[in-house]
Amino acid sequence: GDVKMKAEDLREKSVDELQKTLGEEQEAQFKLRMQQATGQLTESHKAKQVRRNIARLKTVITQKAGE
């Protein structure tokens, strides 16, 4: 969704939860890309936010996996 994710909030989640959230964000990113391709995307800032969320999630998952 368009919830801004904080790294500290993410660290409290389990890896399973994080993977699930990551999947949801990637789905959202896919939908945004489709809208962009068809010229329907008016909120281009959302794409940036989703991309950041995905990067943040991947980082936290990697950190947790290394613990």
Side-chain angles (χ1 to χ4, degrees), residues 32 35-36 39-47:
L32 285 168
Q35 288 177 348
Q36 215 165 7
Q40 292 170 330
L41 187 63
T42 47
E43 306 147 64
S44 53
H45 67 279
K46 264 192 184 171

Side-chain angles (χ1 to χ4, degrees), residues 1-65:
D2 39 35
V3 195
K4 215 168 169 154
M5 297 183 186
K6 292 195 199 80
E8 53 268 29
D9 295 340
L10 294 176
R11 288 199 186 94
E12 288 167 13
K13 293 184 177 220
S14 68
V15 175
D16 284 342
E17 283 179 295
L18 291 168
Q19 299 273 16
K20 186 175 173 282
T21 309
L22 180 61
E24 288 164 6
E25 287 298 311
Q26 286 172 328
E27 208 173 298
Q29 187 180 47
F30 179 73
K31 284 180 187 149
L32 285 168
R33 284 212 183 113
M34 290 320 236
Q35 288 177 348
Q36 215 165 7
T38 54
Q40 292 170 330
L41 187 63
T42 47
E43 306 147 64
S44 53
H45 67 279
K46 264 192 184 171
K48 200 180 287 179
Q49 214 171 344
V50 170
R51 200 163 61 233
R52 286 212 184 107
N53 286 346
I54 290 172
R56 205 170 280 143
L57 281 159
K58 283 183 175 170
T59 304
V60 177
I61 290 168
T62 306
Q63 285 172 346
K64 279 186 166 289

